[in-house]
Amino acid sequence: MLTRIDHIGIACFDLDKTVEFYRATYGFEVFHTEVNEEQGVREAMLRINGTDDGGASYLQLLEPVREDSTVAKWLAKNGEGVHHIAFGTADVDAEAAAVRDKGVRVLYDEPRTGSMGSRITFLHPKDCGGVLTELVTAAPPTPGEH
């Protein structure tokens, strides 16, 4: 079962400049940053709000760190903007299997590691009305995290 919008992924050429826009315009602050070598991106997660299931909703800003990354290729074709939407689920494996059974192509055979230690997979945009869709199971919170 999907429990929330986990995040909206936004591809950008300059992460620092884009973070500053969201900070100055909307007052959003960076909750987490990391470089995901496997995905070839540097990212910032801007926490928007908490949710009833203990998770949160974020804006995920993505800057490619290599020219061959999926986000770099997407930016070259489309320019900056919304890259994907991610839905939270308690069990990404079960959710991916259920969606696959409905005829939607799941891009990874096994979920991969995503932001903040989450488990993720993507659904093919051609099967989702043109929208690249991610399924996310958040990592358990660490002590002291809100």
Side-chain angles (χ1 to χ4, degrees):
M1 179 169 97
L2 301 177
T3 58
R4 69 185 179 286
I5 294 175
D6 185 86
H7 66 271
I8 308 287
I10 299 172
C12 61
F13 292 110
D14 184 330
L15 185 65
D16 298 326
K17 180 179 172 184
T18 306
V19 163
E20 184 52 34
F21 168 80
Y22 282 97
R23 179 181 292 126
T25 306
Y26 304 113
F28 298 151
E29 295 295 333
V30 174
F31 180 80
H32 176 82
T33 61
E34 70 180 83
V35 174
N36 184 321
E37 294 293 345
E38 181 180 4
Q39 305 266 333
V41 295
R42 183 170 77 108
E43 65 179 76
M45 297 294 276
L46 285 60
R47 188 173 191 269
I48 307 305
N49 67 315
T51 60
D52 291 344
D53 68 354
S57 293
Y58 301 90
L59 285 181
Q60 179 188 47
L61 307 178
L62 301 160
E63 174 191 67
V65 295
R66 11 177 251 273
E67 303 249 342
D68 68 339
S69 73
T70 303
V71 171
K73 293 174 186 174
W74 190 90
L75 276 166
K77 181 178 177 183
N78 300 292
E80 294 183 306
V82 175
H83 179 262
H84 67 276
I85 186 167
F87 296 108
T89 177
D91 186 344
V92 70
D93 297 277
E95 194 66 36
V99 171
R100 185 181 285 119
D101 287 347
K102 294 176 182 172
V104 174
R105 287 174 281 180
V106 177
L107 298 183
Y108 304 152
D109 291 332
E110 294 292 324
R112 297 182 181 179
T113 301
S115 300
M116 301 183 293
S118 62
R119 297 186 70 239
I120 65 166
T121 195
F122 284 90
L123 309 178
H124 200 292
K126 289 184 178 176
D127 297 343
C128 299
V131 178
L132 179 61
T133 303
E134 182 178 5
L135 303 177
V136 178
T137 296
T142 56
E145 191 175 80
H146 52 288

